[in-house]
Amino acid sequence: MRVIGLLSILVVSCLAASVKQQRKFPDDFIFGTATASYQIEGAWDEDGKGENIWDYMTHNNPTVIKDLSNGDIAADTYHNYKRDVEMMRELGLDAYRFSLSWARILPTGFSNNINQAGIDFYNNYINEMLKYNIQPMITLYHWDLPQKLQELGGFSSPLISDWFEEYARVAYESFGDRVKFWITFNEPREVCYQGYGWTTMAPMLNATGVGTYICAKHLVLCHAKAYHLYNNEFRSKQNGIVGITYSVNDFRPLTDSDEDIAANILRRQGEYGIYSEPIFGPDGGFPKELAKRVAEKSAQQGYAKSRMPEFTDEERKLAKGASDFMGINHYTGYFTSAGYDNSYPVPSFYDDLSITDHRPSEWPLAASSWLYQAPDSLFNTLAALEELYPGTEYYITENGWSVAPDSSLVDDDRIRYYRAAWENLLDAIDAGFNLKGYMAWSLMDNFEWMQGYTERFGLYHVDFEDPARTRTPRKSAFVYKELLRTRVIDYDFEPESMVMTIDKGH
């Protein structure tokens, strides 16, 4: 009887998979890919570009990068942007998400010196996309702060929100007549915790237990000021939208104990709630449970007041509701439990959380040590956000899988990961979530931050040994192209050849 039962389950599962294959994405669902300026552009000091914090760090402390590399040339998009757009056409993209280099536009960070060559580059890039009906989606900040501003305090300075608003104004004025989709920040957690509270991103400030929270407040205010600037001065004539993108993984309690459930709430609040709650939450300000924990820890450690700053009433009002949509970068998942091994400094962000992450050994692992394929993680992530912020408009602004540099162009593991994620998108749409688009990470191989070129996320392989930085499609590029062509996930699809062509109708 047990064997019959198992066979019945298998039959039902197969039938369910067959039904799922027939589901179709809405015609107005936006498909695209995403990149970031420092990771692809190169030309680090050409045509008047200023130095940014990644230029400074990789040149002055190269050993922090796994392969001692940098983004000086990277994929050399600065000289190959037309090939980039050709790849977008080959895939049949609806949209392309990319970031501006603040230091390429404003070399010192301030608008008294606007670099026209930088403006021209982005104008050419945008116009080339629009020529082929590809919607440009701009991220204002993807981690590459001008070094001059870092020397003035960067995101630890309360003046950063004024500096960011000034930069945003230049971007809106320069490109807003054609760009209708704006993201202020990519992944605040990585900016604040990894860059200011730890040492795994530039500027490696390592102000443990303090830097994360100061940066978080200032970054939220940067976003709010840029949003209101657009809303008050540009929206009526440019008719665009402005949002922010968070890295949001799937966090689930390890058990149904009260302790693990509470730990999971803190985990979510520390990872993204500290940046999302002030904007999307019903009350504004930092999450209550996390704020209480940090205040208690601060008192125990002898601080005169909490290491987590508070928002004034005026600041709460400024930030609350200041976004047209939420961008979600999603990759993996974890189980969370209460208690940890005391391996983190005191004070520090993870000492404040006092949690432990767990992952089943059977979850597939990518080339990145942190990237596991967690079952239904994208749907679970959207469901958790929808519970917190019902009715929010969502875009998946990154989602991808890494392979090794010497891996084959036949990247079946990535295809398996993508297809599972796409099924989760359809599940979310069926569940009634207000999900509008999906950006695969990434269009092409690039400089993967502290990992250098040792991990590859591109639909297109880039030959970094070739001065021309030749781009070649992987099998996943053909599978993604077929999804965009049919709007249906076809598990039987196999490319007839590995030569990509441009669809004449696009």
Side-chain angles (χ1 to χ4, degrees):
M1 290 297 292
R2 176 174 171 78
V3 172
I4 294 172
L6 288 173
L7 287 173
S8 299
I9 291 170
L10 286 172
V11 170
V12 170
S13 298
C14 290
L15 288 173
S18 177
V19 170
K20 279 192 171 184
Q21 288 184 40
Q22 304 308 311
R23 293 188 299 171
K24 190 173 184 179
F25 285 94
D27 291 339
D28 61 352
F29 190 84
I30 297 172
F31 282 108
T33 59
T35 59
S37 53
Y38 184 76
Q39 293 182 270
I40 65 167
E41 283 182 8
W44 83 272
D45 63 348
E46 284 190 45
D47 296 338
K49 177 186 168 293
E51 184 180 42
N52 66 46
I53 56 176
W54 283 87
D55 298 325
Y56 181 85
M57 183 183 74
T58 58
H59 295 160
N60 290 280
N61 193 12
T63 57
V64 301
I65 307 301
K66 186 173 183 179
D67 58 2
L68 309 182
S69 64
N70 55 51
D72 287 4
I73 302 174
D76 202 18
T77 280
Y78 192 75
H79 300 106
N80 289 297
Y81 73 88
K82 287 189 176 181
R83 172 60 181 138
D84 289 1
V85 176
E86 185 178 55
M87 294 189 295
M88 300 173 207
R89 295 171 61 202
E90 289 170 354
L91 292 170
L93 300 186
D94 302 315
Y96 178 62
R97 176 186 170 225
F98 65 105
S99 73
L100 305 179
S101 166
W102 190 338
R104 193 178 297 284
I105 293 171
L106 305 177
T108 64
F110 296 106
S111 62
N112 66 306
N113 178 19
I114 299 176
N115 180 29
Q116 188 58 46
I119 299 291
D120 291 344
F121 167 68
Y122 292 116
N123 273 328
N124 290 336
Y125 209 4
I126 291 165
N127 292 340
E128 188 73 7
M129 293 177 218
L130 291 173
K131 188 189 301 183
Y132 301 105
N133 298 314
I134 299 164
Q135 180 183 358
M137 296 178 164
I138 284 184
T139 305
L140 289 172
Y141 187 79
H142 199 131
W143 306 354
D144 49 353
L145 189 72
Q147 177 61 23
K148 292 294 185 184
L149 296 186
Q150 186 60 47
E151 291 165 6
L152 294 173
F155 287 95
S156 63
S157 170
L159 296 176
I160 187 70
S161 60
D162 293 332
W163 304 338
F164 187 74
E165 183 182 28
E166 186 178 328
Y167 162 54
R169 180 183 294 279
V170 173
Y172 297 153
E173 289 176 341
S174 300
F175 313 119
D177 59 325
R178 288 151 294 149
V179 175
K180 308 304 175 186
F181 191 104
W182 298 90
I183 294 169
T184 54
F185 285 93
N186 179 78
E187 298 186 346
R189 173 197 173 273
E190 283 66 16
V191 175
C192 292
Y193 165 65
Q194 292 189 241
Y196 284 75
W198 201 236
T199 60
T200 48
M201 287 287 175
M204 297 177 63
L205 201 62
N206 203 24
T208 63
V210 177
T212 301
Y213 305 128
I214 293 173
C215 171
K217 178 182 175 180
H218 293 163
L219 186 148
V220 166
L221 295 176
C222 285
H223 163 80
K225 285 189 177 181
Y227 174 84
H228 287 294
L229 172 66
Y230 190 86
N231 201 45
N232 295 335
E233 299 186 30
F234 294 92
R235 189 187 299 272
S236 62
K237 53 190 173 184
Q238 295 185 355
N239 299 311
I241 56 175
V242 179
I244 185 169
T245 278
Y246 304 114
S247 55
V248 188
N249 292 316
D250 175 21
F251 297 109
R252 306 175 225 177
L254 183 64
T255 72
D256 61 1
S257 70
D258 292 343
E259 292 80 9
D260 284 359
I261 291 171
N264 197 58
I265 289 171
L266 282 175
R267 182 72 159 105
R268 290 177 176 178
Q269 290 182 351
E271 290 290 318
Y272 61 85
I274 189 174
Y275 312 102
S276 61
E277 198 68 15
I279 299 168
F280 294 92
D283 301 319
F286 288 137
K288 290 181 176 61
E289 292 86 354
L290 181 62
K292 181 182 178 183
R293 170 66 65 85
V294 176
E296 290 172 348
K297 287 264 191 176
S298 298
Q300 294 167 11
Q301 293 156 359
Y303 286 85
K305 59 181 181 179
S306 176
R307 290 177 277 105
M308 179 179 285
E310 294 182 352
F311 286 86
T312 66
D313 290 343
E314 184 180 358
E315 289 167 341
R316 282 175 181 262
K317 184 178 178 181
L318 182 75
K320 189 173 180 299
S323 193
D324 298 319
F325 64 88
M326 181 187 292
I328 300 163
N329 292 353
H330 175 79
Y331 289 90
T332 190
Y334 305 83
F335 288 101
T336 302
S337 67
Y340 75 126
D341 60 7
N342 300 315
S343 63
Y344 292 99
V346 178
S348 68
F349 170 70
Y350 277 108
D351 177 73
D352 288 340
L353 294 183
S354 296
I355 53 90
T356 301
D357 290 329
H358 306 267
R359 280 164 158 163
S361 59
E362 63 268 21
W363 286 3
L365 176 64
S368 307
S369 61
W370 53 271
L371 180 46
Y372 289 75
Q373 183 176 344
D376 293 320
S377 62
L378 183 49
F379 178 82
N380 293 337
T381 294
L382 286 163
L385 289 168
E386 182 67 11
E387 185 176 353
L388 288 171
Y389 313 122
T392 297
E393 186 172 288
Y394 304 106
Y395 290 84
I396 306 303
T397 42
E398 285 184 26
N399 178 243
W401 184 261
S402 61
V403 298
D406 58 354
S407 62
S408 164
L409 292 175
V410 180
D411 51 348
D412 287 329
D413 284 354
R414 175 179 284 136
I415 293 167
R416 179 202 66 225
Y417 175 91
Y418 271 140
R419 283 173 170 160
W422 300 337
E423 291 284 6
N424 276 195
L425 295 178
L426 288 168
D427 292 340
I429 293 169
D430 288 348
F433 301 159
N434 192 14
L435 181 60
K436 297 294 188 180
Y438 172 90
M439 307 292 123
W441 183 272
S442 175
L443 177 62
M444 64 195 129
D445 292 340
N446 48 55
F447 177 81
E448 279 300 327
W449 308 110
M450 296 305 230
Q451 302 307 310
Y453 299 98
T454 65
E455 299 171 3
R456 307 293 176 87
F457 279 85
L459 293 168
Y460 282 74
H461 169 273
V462 177
D463 184 351
F464 292 105
E465 302 300 318
D466 180 357
R469 297 302 195 265
T470 303
R471 288 103 151 103
T472 306
R474 291 188 169 94
K475 182 179 176 182
S476 57
F478 293 88
V479 171
Y480 194 43
K481 177 185 177 77
E482 182 67 6
L483 173 73
L484 272 60
R485 185 185 71 83
T486 65
R487 304 262 154 176
V488 172
I489 305 170
D490 183 355
Y491 286 85
D492 297 324
F493 173 77
E494 288 286 335
E496 294 180 1
S497 76
M498 294 287 278
V499 177
M500 190 69 83
T501 58
I502 296 172
D503 188 340
K504 298 288 186 181
H506 188 73

